[in-house]
Every structure is written in structure tokens, then in C-alpha cells.
Amino acid sequence: MIEALQNVFWILIFPGFVFTIVLGLVASWIVRKVSALVQWRVGPPLFQPFYDVMKLMGKETLIPQDAQRTVFIVAPLVGLSGVLLLSTMLGVAAFWPGETFVGDIIVAIYLMVLPSLALILGSSASASPHATIGTSREMKLVMGYELPLVLAFIVVIIKTGGQLNLAAIAEYTPALSISGMLAFLAALLCVQAKLGFVPFDIAESETEVASGIIIEYSGALLAVWKLMQAMMLVALPLFLVMVFLGGFGTTAGWPLVCGIGKYILVLVLLILIKNTNPRLRIDQAMKFFWVYCGIALVIAVILASIGSNYGINWL
Amino acid sequence: MRGKGTKRAKNGFFLSFLRKQESRRWENMNQEELNNRLSEIKDKLIDIEQTTDSRIFLLCEAENSYAVSKFLFEDVPLRFVIATGIDSEDCFEILYHFSNDETGCFVTVKAFIRDRENPAIESIAPFLPAAEWIEREIHDILGIDFNNHPDMRRLILADNWPEGVYPLRKDTKLPVRLVDDEPSGRPTVQSKSPACRTVQLSKPVLPVGPFHPLQEEMEFFQLTVDGEIVTDIDVRISYNHRGIEKISETLQFDQVPFLVSRVCGICSASHPLAYINAVEEIAGITPPDRAQYVRVIINELERIHSHLLWVGLAGHFIGYDTVFMWSWKYREPVLDLLEEITGNRNNYGNVKVGGCREDIPNELKPKILKEMDKLEKKIEMLTKAVLDDPVIHARLKGVGTLSNEDAIKYAVAGPTARGSGVAIDVRRDDPYAAYADLDWKVIVQHEGDVFAKAVVRLLEVLEAIKIIRQAINKLPDGPIAIEVREIPPGEACGRAEAPRGETFHYVRSDGGNRPIRHKIRAPSFVNVPSFRASCIGQHIADVTITLAAVDPCYSCTERLAVIDGHNNVLHDYDALLKLSRQKTARIKKELGAPELKLEDF
Amino acid sequence: MSWKIWSLKKSIWVFHVNTGACNNCDIEIVNLLTPKYDVERFGIKIVGSPRHADALLVTGVVTAQAAPRLREVYRQTAKPCVVFAIGACACETGIFNGGYHVVGPVDKIIREIDPNAIIAYVPGCPPKPEAMISGVVKALSVL
């Protein structure tokens, strides 16, 4: 009974739904504010993303006549639940390390794919020729970055001596080694693509809406997509922090501050890359991920294996 | 104030862009030689009329107009400007206007179509692609058939405008009741497609699907592609057609400037000036000198802010949003200056027949000079940064090239022409206002690509600043306008150099206080069809910047869509924009170039 | 006031429709994004689809070719939404009154399909960006 209540608390309040949404919307405000400052503008106020979501909830939802109704409605909910579970798992692994289970990193990798899959499903169900273009591009992009992302995690697993438990991996700091740093950078760029940020974005900078992907959505369903994107801004950097940067310290005082600092560091890196680069073409992005990232990660895997075999920590 | 000499020495790279004026296709000709050449076809003409030194009318019957026009375009040779259709009492008249830029002389072929039941004339489009659109327009509004026209489709009237109703005929009853046959209900609606070219496209109906925002605009430009290369384009215009020429016939002569300054918002000082040049020519009056200088200042200020607008949009299309924000930020002082002088940021309403309405107070002169100094520094910095950037070189050079021959065939004007080596500029060829008294250069490039046009525009801003300085310093005292009581009967052609090119107005008066015919030709009317020549063979990632290089009005560039041979929409405007920016990013990576840095202020 | 209207006032997403304008109003609308006016401070964002929009910024006298499109865009916009008629042409056809290709100002076309549409008028030729912002604020205070 207590356990069920505890699970509900985890999923709904902290570190689940409420916490992630609040933190995610604040993070998306940071992104917009920094972009505005770079363009000599003032930018939106702090609560703007909250107002946006609230307003969308209040608008009517239009569903195209030719769309697949069920898939159209269910897709954003699937994406949202995927991110929700992911952030809950990560939060639990950070704050209640005893409650995690072996192999949860694999579950986390699976859950990470759900938002992208949901986007693809939702836009193909839109029955719009323009959404179809965006869908095919998104599919190619997903094929591009999923493999390097998994390879990066494999590097970490090798370096930590085969640990498959998030809490245990968080004890190590793989980024402080050559292979780990390579893997971290590759994973950072893959996360950039997953979030839909420049230089891998599908969206137009004025609209901040994936052109063609969610162009047919409106009202409450669009609000769900926005929430999903905001929550990804929490879950994915947190994932990187847990896996590469030595976990999220949870005891009050220095470790907690360090943990928050690491999260902000990853967020800042993502924003920096976003604001200092123009966009890439889809085949260029594919080439980047498969060729450059792939080679770098293969080297990293080799180095990591050598390192862990012979006990050389800095490789 | 620093002397000009020091500035030139510091910015030596400008010299490489300022070349000598290119010898044109037209041989050096003076007025006498022109008259001699024109008398060679005397046998085909009824008469030759000369209203002023530089305005010649060749009257002929409709059967001979093809031969006369061919002679003028190919043998003399002259530049085609536009054609005007007029419904006179007993006949139709088609006026083909040609321009001799060496002497600034207008030669107009006035062809009379006597048959009012079935008016027809031989089309000149087969040897002059520039005439295709205007003949389609005359067919729409006057119902005249053009025999052997390669592509006679509806151009400027709406899809649901009834057949057989010609608005500019005197006997047409207006207003016309339009029936909309669109289905009601929401949200997915199939749209009716425009008439498609049967040559390339197999299916007549283009399904658009539920994505409606682009449906409003998607029929504007349709590009047919083979893989990633553009093979053909088709244009549907009509959205902006407001019937201004007809409205003009209902207004009095001094009310018309307010109407025509709203033809296009960014050329809003050039259109009234061209019209007024025509009317003042009919009336035979010359406004006072002070008014001429004030007209120059207002027009050059407009040129500055229009070119800066273009720079911003071009930067936006290739992915440099900082350039966009920056150049639009620096339009603001120019707009504020215009507001101080005329009372409005955009539609100035400052010219009238006989002079100007608002004067430039002498207290304002130092402020204008100071603003020009500040602006010049910023523009020089922008020019250097933009034109030296290797990514911009790679992105814009060789893209959207309009060859010299095509520039002449499509009779383009303005920076579009000057970027392709066609050195025409109304301010020098047929001086109006005070341009004859001022010292400035015509900027000409020869490559014809988007980069050349960008160079032309940026350097023209610097020339405009120079002109304004001279005009302010030489501003003579005196009245700002003279009174004009009536306009005698007559006809005249007036033109002005808008930021986009030559703006042409033809006005005919019968002695009353309204024009009986007013023909307006905006420069985009000839520049936009040339998009066909510069776009075919290009990659679709370059389509947006190629169209932007022609500098149509802002909303025109939003109306782009790419379809394949089976009428499936491949790319909408957003996707094309994204392709353009992605190409920039790819080039950047290849060159390893750093991000374009603009200093902060 | 219901929370829907309150949140609508805090976050207005606009879609720009040109129904046959001379482009002055359109350029002043784009000017709103630039650093001097920067409407993102007020939560106003220009979006690329009417389905995401809360307000339509309509410019231009409605020409015959553009009228069906305007109606369609209005239908596609998720309600509640406000229609802003920007400029003298959109408010009452301005100087183009009586033209043969002009089918009437924006409110006539919109009211054909929705007699209860909320329409706000921002006159001017073109209205200055300050006037547009003021018009938006006034319309919101009436909502």
C-alpha cells in the first residue's frame, strides 16, 4: 500500500509530472531568453511558457477530416508518458538510489526513443502532404542519431565495468577520460538533435514549431506536444549528467549544488551550440552522425575496452 | 566633417567594385541618329508625332505593329518598357512603349485596332518574352486577342471573375457580382487549382489537402522539379490586383498621387513622382528648384531604407538572422527622419503637381547630415562584413545567374539589370527632379548572380547618402510649389527610378480634371518574370534567395511551392527556406569559416 | 474572467494574412519583431499555421482572388480567436473603395461565415508599430 502510494508520488509529483513540467518550462524560458539577448532583444518574461501551455489548453482542438483520429490523439500522449517515465526513473535513481534495479539504463534508452516515435506517428496520422515531408525528415534524423547515442552509452557501460544500474553508474565520472569525453560530446550532439535544436532542427526559428510535424495540431493536443518538448529539456540533460558527469548529488549542501551546477552546465552547452550555428541539411546531418560520430565512438569503445582491461582509467 | 579623400583611401576595396560604365547593347546614339533610324520604317506608319524633344509616338495600324515593334527591338535597338491598352471611342489602341536609354527618349508605337467586335492584334511575345505578361493582362482587362501568344491564360483577374466582362472597357457595367463556388464546412477542403500549363503538368487539379495556410499562397509560384533541380516555374498573380488603374480614372489629377503611392509600400515615393512627371509634361510646367531638390532627398531616403530592408530579408533567407535584425534596426533612423519631414514613416504624400507639399525646414538640415554620417559608418561596416565573408561568397556567387541576354529579353530594370551588366538608370538617362545637377555613380556589376545584385544594392545605399549630402548642401531657397490650374489635353510618359527599378506611368488627359487613362508599370512586373530565366537549372535550396534577389515586394516571396511532375507538393515555403539555410550551414562547415561577426553597439 | 481568456491575454500567437495589401502594413508587422519594438516581451509570437494562432493579423483590402482564402484561413483558426484588421484598407478598403476587384473590407468577409467574430480595427496607412501594439492591448482589455 505504502509502496503504491510512494510510486504515485514519484510519478505524479516529484520527480515526476509536476516537478518535471515546472523545471522544463523554466528551462525552455532560459533558452528563449538567451536567444533574444543574442539578437539584441529583451525576450519573454519568466512565466511565458506557462502562459503558452495554459492558453493552448483553453483553445479548441481541430482534427483534420482525413486524419487517423485514434493515432492522432494518442500519439502525443504516448510521447508524454515516455518522457514522464524517463524523468521519474532518473529522479528516483538520483534521490533514492536504493530503489533502482539492474538494467534500468536499458529501459531508459528505450524510453528515450518514445518521444521521437510519437512525433513521427502523430505527424503521419495528420494526413497532410506537408507533414509527410517533415515526417520523412524526422525519421531519417532518428535513424541517424539513435545508433551513436546507444554506442555512447555502451562506452560508459564498458568503462564502469559492466554496470547496468543507473545509480551505480552515477558513482563514476566517465567524462574525465578520453573515451568518456568523446562519448559525452557525441551524446551531447545526439541530444541536441533529439531536442530539435539547431543545427539539427526541423523547426523555423520564428515559429518554434516543427514545420510539418505538428502543424496540424491545435488546442490541448498541441499543449501536450509543448509539454513533452519542455520535459525533454529536463530528462535528457539529466540523463547525460547521471551517466557521464558523475550523477546528481542529492545530499544537501555541496553535492546538491554540484548536481544542479552540472545540469545547468549541460543546458548551457546545448544553448550555446544552438545559438552559434546555422542549420544543417538532412543528408549532411546523417553523414555527420553516421560517419564522424560513428568513427569517434568506435574509437572510444576500443579505448574504453583497453582501458578497463588493463585498468588504465584515463583512457 | 572628414574630407572625402581620406575615406576613399581607407576603404580601397570599394574601388574594386566601382567599375567604369559598361557600354550597353545600344550603340552610342544621339537624337538625330535616332530620328534617322525611325524614318526607315516610315512606310509602315500613318504618322510620327513628337510631343516633346524626347517623346516620339509612331502611329500605325494594328497589322503593322508587329513589324514596327520588331524593328524597334531588334534593329535600332531599343529597350521594351511596357504596353498600354486603351479603349478609345471608335477603336482600341495598343501602345508599345520603348526606351532609348542613351538619349532618354521614349518611342511609343501606337497601334489602332479598328474592329471593335473582335479586336485582335499580332502578339510580339514570340521575339520579346518581356511582353508575355502585359499582353495577358491587356487581354484580361480589355478583351483584345493576341494572335500567336505562346501562353494566353488569365493573369490578373480572379479565378471566379466571369468570362467576357472586361473591366477597363468604357461600356462595362461595374461592379460585377462574383460567385464563390467554394464548399462551406470545415476543415478539409480541396482547392481548385489554377489553369496549369499543359506542357509540363499532366494532371489539371493540384490537390492541396488540409494544410490551408499555404493554400492561400501556394498557387503563386509553382516550381516543377526533376530531382533536386528546377525545370520550370509558373506564376499566378491576382491577389494584389486592386484595379488601381480604373480607380484612377475616377479621381482628380491631384488626388491620384495618394492613390498611386499605395501601389507598393516600399516604392511609395517613386510612383507618385513618375505620375507627376507625366502630368507636368502634359501641362508643360516645371516646378521650382527647391521642390526638385526636396523630391530628390525624399526619394533617396526611401532608396536607403528599401535596400536595407532587402539586405535584411536576404540575410534571413540564407540563415543569418543577425543580419536581418541588424539591418532592420538601422532602417529605423531613416524612417524617423522621413516621419519628421513628411509626417509618415511610409506613405509620404509629399509630391503634388507643381511641386511638393511639405518643405524641409532649414533647421532640420544639420540633423539630416548628422544622421547620414552615422548611417554611412554603419553601412560601410556592414558592406565590408557581408561582402568579405567567405560563406556568403560561397552561398551567393554563381547562384541565380541572370545572363545579359536574358536581362535584355525580359527587359528587366533596376539592380536586377545593373547586376547583369545592363547599365540603365533613369536618374542618369532621362533626368528628372534635380538629378542632373548632382554628382554620383551608377553601380554596375557583370556576373548577374545574387552576389552581384547584393553588391549593387549595398553600394547604391552609399551613393544615396552621397546624393542626399549634396542635395542638402545645395538646397536652393524659394517657393516649394507653383499653382496649377488645369491640365490641357494630351498624353505623356513619366518615369522615376524606384529602388527596384524603373517605374513607368502613362497618363492621357482630355482637358477635364480626371485622367482618362492611367497606365502604371511597377518594376517588379518585368523583374519577376525573369525569375524564370534565373531559376531554371538551379537547386531548390537556392530558390528563395534567387527570388529575393529580384526584390519583389515582401509578400511575393512567401508564395512559393515546389511540385514534382505528378503534382505532389514536395516543399512548401518553410521547407524551401530551411533548405536554403541548411545549404549555408553546409558551406560554412566546408569552409571552416567562423560565424559572421557584427560589432555590437 | 475565465482562465481561458486570462491565459489568452498573456500569450497571443498571431498569424499574418495578406489579402491584397501594398505591403506597408506587412512590413510594419515584421518590424514588430525587430529589436526596437520586440513584441516577444508581451508573449506575442508569429506562427506559421492558423491552427496555432490566437489572432489573425489581416492586411489589405480583400481582393476577389484572396477572399476565399481569407475565409478558409479563418475557418482553420482554432477558436477563440481575434481578427485584427490592420490598416485603413482592411478596416474599410481605404483609398481603394469602389475598385472592381475589391470585394469589401475584412469584416464583411469574415462576418459572412461567422457573425459573432471578434474583430478589432487598427486604422492607419500604415499604422505605426506603436499603434498596432496599442490596438492589441486595447482589444485584450475588452476581451
Side-chain angles (χ1 to χ4, degrees):
Chain A
M1 182 61 198
I2 302 289
E3 252 208 55
L5 275 179
Q6 189 181 48
N7 284 340
V8 167
F9 175 76
W10 280 347
I11 290 183
L12 287 185
I13 312 289
F14 179 90
F17 201 55
V18 172
F19 173 71
T20 318
I21 284 186
V22 169
L23 188 59
L25 290 174
V26 170
S28 71
W29 171 78
I30 295 177
V31 170
R32 280 170 74 172
K33 183 80 175 172
V34 171
S35 307
L37 289 173
V38 164
Q39 291 174 348
W40 299 291
R41 295 186 288 122
V42 170
L46 173 61
F47 288 108
Q48 193 57 45
F50 294 88
Y51 299 144
D52 288 342
V53 171
M54 270 177 65
K55 178 216 58 182
L56 283 173
M57 288 295 198
K59 300 263 293 182
E60 65 172 352
T61 306
L62 297 170
I63 302 184
Q65 223 170 36
D66 293 341
Q68 296 271 36
R69 284 189 77 98
T70 330
V71 179
F72 192 78
I73 298 176
V74 163
L77 299 171
V78 163
L80 186 72
S81 47
V83 185
L84 176 62
L85 281 173
L86 177 62
S87 70
T88 313
M89 269 181 56
L90 291 171
V92 163
F95 289 90
W96 290 274
E99 306 278 350
T100 58
F101 56 93
V102 173
D104 59 359
I105 187 173
I106 301 189
V107 177
I109 294 177
Y110 272 107
L111 283 175
M112 247 184 3
V113 179
L114 268 183
S116 318
L117 210 52
L119 266 179
I120 293 171
L121 278 176
S123 66
S124 0
S126 303
S128 155
H130 303 275
T132 317
I133 307 159
T135 313
S136 71
R137 294 245 164 96
E138 177 73 5
M139 281 200 280
K140 286 186 206 154
L141 198 63
V142 168
M143 279 199 299
Y145 64 68
E146 281 300 328
L147 181 62
L149 197 52
V150 172
L151 270 181
F153 289 131
I154 288 179
V155 167
V156 168
I157 293 174
I158 296 177
K159 283 210 68 66
T160 59
Q163 293 279 8
L164 287 177
N165 185 337
L166 267 175
I169 292 178
E171 307 276 322
Y172 299 80
T173 316
L176 295 177
S177 58
I178 299 180
S179 60
M181 182 53 75
L182 275 176
F184 173 61
L185 291 174
L188 191 71
L189 291 168
C190 294
V191 164
Q192 186 95 8
K194 199 178 248 315
L195 286 170
F197 279 177
V198 177
F200 307 109
D201 72 334
I202 319 280
E204 273 298 317
S205 63
E206 293 104 86
T207 66
E208 279 181 35
V209 158
S211 160
I213 290 255
I214 52 179
I215 205 100
E216 294 291 343
Y217 280 89
S218 54
L221 291 176
L222 186 61
V224 172
W225 283 125
K226 292 279 174 201
L227 281 176
M228 186 191 89
Q229 283 169 337
M231 287 163 82
M232 286 212 287
L233 267 176
V234 174
L236 295 177
L238 202 55
F239 204 179
L240 288 181
V241 166
M242 296 285 296
V243 171
F244 290 98
L245 294 181
F248 198 88
T250 51
T251 54
W254 189 240
L256 187 61
V257 169
C258 263
I260 297 177
K262 286 183 222 172
Y263 170 73
I264 291 186
L265 171 71
V266 175
L267 203 60
V268 163
L269 281 174
L270 290 170
I271 297 178
L272 268 179
I273 301 178
K274 173 184 194 223
N275 276 316
T276 55
N277 279 294
R279 296 176 181 87
L280 281 183
R281 215 171 56 189
I282 184 66
D283 58 321
Q284 207 57 29
M286 294 281 285
K287 183 170 161 198
F288 172 76
F289 281 120
W290 279 31
V291 175
Y292 301 122
C293 279
I295 293 180
L297 284 167
V298 164
I299 296 176
V301 165
I302 295 173
L303 287 178
S305 319
I306 299 176
S308 70
N309 240 339
Y310 295 109
I312 311 173
N313 270 347
W314 50 267
L315 258 189
Chain B
M1 222 167 31
R2 270 176 290 165
K4 280 196 203 153
T6 48
K7 268 202 207 137
R8 281 274 167 262
K10 260 200 304 186
N11 300 314
F13 86 99
F14 282 127
L15 292 175
S16 64
F17 286 116
L18 295 173
R19 304 191 202 193
K20 277 169 62 171
Q21 287 169 25
E22 175 70 8
S23 67
R24 283 154 285 190
R25 180 175 169 257
W26 306 273
E27 303 300 318
N28 282 338
M29 200 191 300
N30 60 24
Q31 192 64 37
E32 258 196 63
E33 286 171 22
L34 179 64
N35 290 342
N36 290 340
R37 304 269 356 243
L38 290 178
S39 56
E40 285 172 29
I41 39 153
K42 238 182 141 79
D43 52 322
K44 295 214 164 53
L45 306 173
I46 305 172
D47 196 7
I48 301 184
E49 277 175 11
Q50 190 150 0
T51 51
T52 71
D53 281 339
S54 56
R55 302 289 187 254
I56 301 178
F57 290 84
L58 309 176
L59 281 65
C60 70
E61 294 294 329
E63 296 82 36
N64 293 326
S65 69
Y66 181 89
V68 175
S69 307
K70 197 151 191 244
F71 172 76
L72 290 179
F73 178 68
E74 289 178 355
D75 296 335
V76 178
L78 300 177
R79 176 172 62 92
F80 178 68
V81 177
I82 201 68
T84 306
I86 308 181
D87 178 7
S88 305
E89 295 305 313
D90 50 346
C91 64
F92 286 105
E93 295 176 43
I94 307 280
L95 279 67
Y96 290 103
H97 304 280
F98 290 87
S99 163
N100 179 345
D101 297 304
E102 177 67 28
T103 57
C105 178
F106 256 115
V107 179
T108 303
V109 180
K110 203 189 273 192
F112 294 96
I113 304 177
R114 307 287 176 191
D115 182 0
R116 281 194 69 99
E117 296 304 311
N118 299 309
I121 194 172
E122 187 78 18
S123 159
I124 65 170
F127 64 83
L128 192 57
E132 262 185 54
W133 271 27
I134 186 61
E135 289 183 346
R136 283 167 68 184
E137 177 179 321
I138 298 179
H139 174 81
D140 275 352
I141 58 178
L142 277 176
I144 297 176
D145 284 318
F146 287 87
N147 302 328
N148 298 327
H149 191 279
D151 177 26
M152 184 51 75
R153 284 176 293 146
R154 176 161 285 187
L155 184 75
I156 59 163
L157 291 177
D159 292 329
N160 53 357
W161 187 271
E163 281 288 339
V165 178
Y166 304 115
L168 248 65
R169 284 203 191 178
K170 300 286 185 207
D171 52 3
T172 303
K173 284 222 169 343
L174 295 170
V176 171
R177 197 166 129 48
L178 297 168
V179 177
D180 282 324
D181 51 352
E182 41 155 6
S184 57
R186 66 209 323 264
T188 55
V189 178
Q190 298 283 340
S191 90
K192 236 170 35 139
S193 82
C196 293
R197 272 201 128 116
T198 49
V199 174
Q200 296 275 8
L201 311 172
S202 45
K203 281 190 267 185
V205 174
L206 180 66
V208 176
F211 186 57
H212 294 284
L214 270 190
Q215 176 189 308
E216 178 199 357
E217 298 155 346
M218 94 158 284
E219 291 149 3
F220 197 75
F221 287 100
Q222 285 176 353
L223 301 110
T224 314
V225 294
D226 177 21
E228 297 270 302
I229 304 292
V230 178
T231 52
D232 194 13
I233 76 156
D234 191 19
V235 186
R236 174 84 174 108
I237 61 174
S238 172
Y239 298 86
N240 270 342
H241 182 66
R242 290 151 285 173
I244 294 180
E245 293 173 12
K246 186 82 180 177
I247 298 175
S248 183
E249 293 173 15
T250 64
L251 297 177
Q252 299 174 6
F253 277 107
D254 51 357
Q255 292 174 323
V256 173
F258 298 105
L259 175 69
V260 289
S261 81
R262 286 151 176 88
V263 167
C264 168
I266 334 173
C267 302
S268 70
S270 318
H271 276 286
L273 189 54
Y275 162 78
I276 280 170
N277 281 339
V279 173
E280 284 174 353
E281 192 181 296
I282 297 180
I285 53 179
T286 319
D289 282 339
R290 192 178 174 92
Q292 305 276 46
Y293 276 82
V294 171
R295 288 177 179 180
V296 165
I297 294 170
I298 304 281
N299 274 48
E300 292 305 310
L301 281 172
E302 182 181 67
R303 194 178 314 274
I304 295 177
H305 88 73
S306 171
H307 283 333
L308 282 179
L309 185 145
W310 180 84
V311 168
L313 285 184
H316 177 64
F317 289 140
I318 59 175
Y320 281 117
D321 268 336
T322 325
V323 170
F324 168 60
M325 291 284 170
W326 190 95
S327 54
W328 281 54
K329 178 177 164 192
Y330 269 88
R331 282 179 72 222
E332 295 295 328
V334 179
L335 294 174
D336 289 340
L337 213 51
L338 280 165
E339 190 176 0
E340 267 200 70
I341 301 174
T342 65
N344 199 349
R345 281 154 61 98
N346 282 308
N347 292 320
Y348 318 115
N350 203 37
V351 278
K352 66 174 188 178
V353 181
C356 288
R357 302 177 78 237
E358 295 286 334
D359 197 357
I360 297 183
N362 286 328
E363 304 83 56
L364 203 53
K365 291 192 336 191
K367 175 165 182 194
I368 299 180
L369 290 172
K370 207 170 85 168
E371 290 289 340
M372 289 297 114
D373 284 338
K374 276 200 297 200
L375 194 64
E376 189 171 26
K377 277 205 291 275
K378 304 296 183 197
I379 302 292
E380 280 176 0
M381 192 213 80
L382 174 71
T383 309
K384 246 209 267 280
V386 164
L387 296 184
D388 283 344
D389 185 65
V391 178
I392 290 191
H393 277 236
R395 188 73 181 82
L396 298 183
K397 278 199 172 173
V399 167
T401 309
L402 185 69
S403 67
N404 192 282
E405 294 81 39
D406 280 335
I408 294 171
K409 258 179 25 195
Y410 283 91
V412 295
T416 313
R418 294 197 278 278
S420 298
V422 179
I424 51 173
D425 188 329
V426 180
R427 301 172 287 172
R428 178 200 57 198
D429 302 330
D430 187 10
Y432 56 96
Y435 284 108
D437 302 332
L438 302 170
D439 171 40
W440 47 279
K441 280 193 171 51
V442 174
I443 314 285
V444 181
Q445 297 287 298
H446 299 277
E447 296 81 18
D449 53 17
V450 179
F451 187 77
K453 296 182 204 173
V455 169
V456 169
R457 289 193 175 98
L458 280 169
L459 293 183
E460 273 184 12
V461 172
L462 294 169
E463 290 298 312
I465 296 178
K466 233 168 75 176
I467 295 177
I468 293 175
R469 273 208 200 102
Q470 290 176 51
I472 292 277
N473 289 330
K474 283 175 147 181
L475 192 63
D477 294 317
I480 197 71
I482 57 175
E483 207 180 319
V484 180
R485 284 281 164 182
E486 57 177 34
I487 309 290
E491 57 187 348
C493 309
R495 49 183 170 174
E497 181 78 12
R500 271 151 207 79
E502 173 198 42
T503 304
F504 170 82
H505 284 239
Y506 168 83
V507 181
R508 181 184 280 191
S509 146
D510 65 352
N513 60 359
R514 292 167 213 270
I516 54 171
R517 182 71 175 100
H518 180 188
K519 170 73 192 151
I520 304 171
R521 185 209 83 165
S524 296
F525 196 78
V526 281
N527 287 341
V528 167
S530 77
F531 181 48
R532 193 144 131 241
S534 54
C535 190
I536 291 185
Q538 294 284 320
H539 192 279
I540 45 178
D542 294 327
V543 157
T544 43
I545 189 66
T546 308
L547 180 58
V550 157
D551 198 5
C553 288
Y554 177 80
S555 52
C556 299
T557 50
E558 292 185 308
R559 299 174 177 165
L560 274 172
V562 175
I563 55 174
D564 68 8
H566 303 289
N567 283 4
N568 300 314
V569 174
L570 291 179
H571 306 283
D572 58 5
Y573 164 69
D574 288 325
L576 285 170
L577 193 56
K578 206 166 16 125
L579 279 174
S580 169
R581 294 169 171 194
Q582 284 167 349
K583 180 172 172 183
T584 308
R586 180 171 40 93
I587 291 176
K588 262 180 118 141
K589 281 182 82 81
E590 284 166 19
L591 295 178
E595 175 88 10
L596 180 66
K597 292 274 177 284
L598 288 168
E599 292 150 18
D600 203 352
F601 309 91
Chain C
M1 145 194 21
S2 73
W3 64 271
K4 286 191 199 176
I5 302 288
W6 178 82
S7 56
L8 193 69
K9 291 193 195 194
K10 288 288 194 183
S11 147
I12 292 239
W13 289 0
V14 299
F15 179 70
H16 167 230
V17 183
N18 179 332
T19 60
C22 74
N23 291 306
N24 259 330
C25 298
D26 308 307
I27 291 168
E28 298 289 57
I29 289 176
V30 177
N31 254 332
L32 288 176
L33 290 175
T34 55
K36 187 170 175 187
Y37 303 104
D38 187 23
V39 286
E40 204 189 355
R41 296 175 286 162
F42 311 124
I44 301 179
K45 203 165 73 154
I46 297 193
V47 290
S49 157
R51 291 186 196 256
H52 300 157
D54 309 307
L56 291 180
L57 297 179
V58 186
T59 59
V61 340
V62 188
T63 60
Q65 181 80 340
R69 277 78 184 163
L70 176 63
R71 287 192 203 105
E72 198 51 50
V73 168
Y74 182 76
R75 282 195 203 109
Q76 296 304 314
T77 311
K79 311 290 180 293
C81 87
V82 184
V83 176
F84 285 95
I86 304 273
C89 288
C91 291
E92 27 75 38
T93 68
I95 202 167
F96 301 108
N97 201 7
Y100 59 82
H101 215 235
V102 172
V103 292
V106 169
D107 54 3
K108 181 167 144 210
I109 302 293
I110 302 271
R111 296 228 188 271
E112 282 172 15
I113 42 175
D114 183 1
N116 300 326
I118 309 170
I119 304 185
Y121 303 90
V122 182
C125 191
K128 294 176 64 164
E130 292 96 329
M132 289 187 212
I133 296 177
S134 152
V136 170
V137 166
K138 278 202 191 140
L140 292 180
S141 66
V142 166
L143 257 187

